Amino acid sequence: MLRQFHENTGHFLDELLRMEASAEHGKLCPCSRDVAATIRCLECHPDRLQCAECALESHSSLPFHRTERWQDNHFVAAPHATQLLRMRMFPGTLSKPRTAYTISLLVTFHTLTRESNLNTYDYAKALARFTDQYSPYDIKTRYDNFRIVVRFWRDLQMKLRSGRHLGLLAELPPVHQGSIALLCPACPQPGINF
């Protein structure tokens, strides 16, 4: 049997390479938009290409499907973490994420932490109880991963609120350079509101 496979190695290599390049590249999308079909879904129909708008429309409720874009004579897939973020899911890891948290879950937890001092462990336990009320201890809580994601989420939120990522700090006086603290709008700041 192995000999038969070995004798047909060339055929298998040709077919595997054919899978990497679509015969449809350069054609128009089947929709009536007159746009080039450049996106394929590896889960749905890997040989069928769609325009970006059709791909978004057909995958609006399929956030875990992997899509690739035809670019420079080959398919490029966005990193898994980027695909999850675009579906409003926060990856548990950056390399091959198998766990993701919804953005709304992280926002809810962040708000509860600030307002009622809820800790990460109790929140993870409550999520397990929501999942299975009668035997929450049988559920793998992913507490360790959730704790790391929450710490990174808090750091991201602090940097977003400070305006650092938008280049706001460059507009502030040198005394505020490098700071991630929020400026009080009511306090007099020389050169800003005073």
Side-chain angles (χ1 to χ4, degrees), residues 135-162:
S135 56
Y137 303 107
D138 295 341
I139 296 170
K140 192 171 182 178
T141 61
R142 307 254 184 234
Y143 166 70
D144 291 330
N145 183 253
F146 183 62
R147 185 173 45 91
I148 292 167
V149 167
V150 163
R151 287 185 70 172
F152 185 58
W153 177 258
R154 285 179 182 150
D155 185 57
L156 287 175
Q157 294 304 304
M158 191 168 35
K159 287 177 179 170
L160 281 173
R161 281 195 308 271
S162 73

Side-chain angles (χ1 to χ4, degrees), residues 17-187:
L17 284 173
R18 188 186 68 75
M19 287 182 209
E20 293 299 318
S22 175
E24 293 187 8
H25 75 275
K27 293 182 180 178
L28 294 177
C29 184
C31 70
S32 58
R33 294 187 183 101
D34 291 331
V35 181
T38 58
I39 307 291
R40 76 173 177 179
C41 176
L42 297 174
E43 268 69 44
C44 295
H45 302 286
D47 290 334
R48 185 174 51 173
L49 296 179
Q50 300 176 307
C51 66
E53 196 168 325
C54 288
L56 285 172
E57 191 175 298
S58 65
H59 287 83
S60 62
S61 61
L62 302 169
F64 300 110
H65 281 206
R66 295 177 300 137
T67 59
E68 295 179 326
R69 177 184 304 273
W70 182 261
Q71 181 178 336
D72 299 329
N73 295 324
H74 65 281
F75 283 104
V76 181
H80 296 293
T82 303
Q83 291 182 40
L84 286 170
L85 284 168
R86 290 178 182 168
M87 293 304 296
R88 301 192 56 77
M89 310 269 300
F90 201 89
T93 61
L94 291 179
S95 60
K96 297 183 182 179
R98 294 177 178 256
T99 303
Y101 305 94
T102 62
I103 299 295
S104 63
L105 175 120
L106 293 171
V107 168
T108 301
F109 174 72
H110 192 71
T111 304
L112 287 171
T113 299
R114 288 184 305 175
E115 295 299 323
S116 63
N117 294 327
L118 180 67
N119 64 45
T120 311
Y121 182 75
D122 289 339
Y123 191 70
K125 281 179 41 180
L127 289 176
R129 176 107 22 213
F130 283 132
T131 304
D132 187 356
Q133 188 172 7
Y134 300 107
S135 56
Y137 303 107
D138 295 341
I139 296 170
K140 192 171 182 178
T141 61
R142 307 254 184 234
Y143 166 70
D144 291 330
N145 183 253
F146 183 62
R147 185 173 45 91
I148 292 167
V149 167
V150 163
R151 287 185 70 172
F152 185 58
W153 177 258
R154 285 179 182 150
D155 185 57
L156 287 175
Q157 294 304 304
M158 191 168 35
K159 287 177 179 170
L160 281 173
R161 281 195 308 271
S162 73
R164 168 182 265 174
H165 189 66
L166 298 173
L168 180 65
L169 294 181
E171 304 296 323
L172 298 177
V175 110
H176 298 290
Q177 299 291 328
S179 173
I180 57 173
L182 294 174
L183 295 177
C184 176
C187 295

Side-chain angles (χ1 to χ4, degrees), residues 1-9 12:
M1 186 163 180
L2 186 59
R3 180 179 294 163
Q4 289 175 339
F5 279 118
H6 184 66
E7 290 169 358
N8 291 300
T9 299
F12 281 95

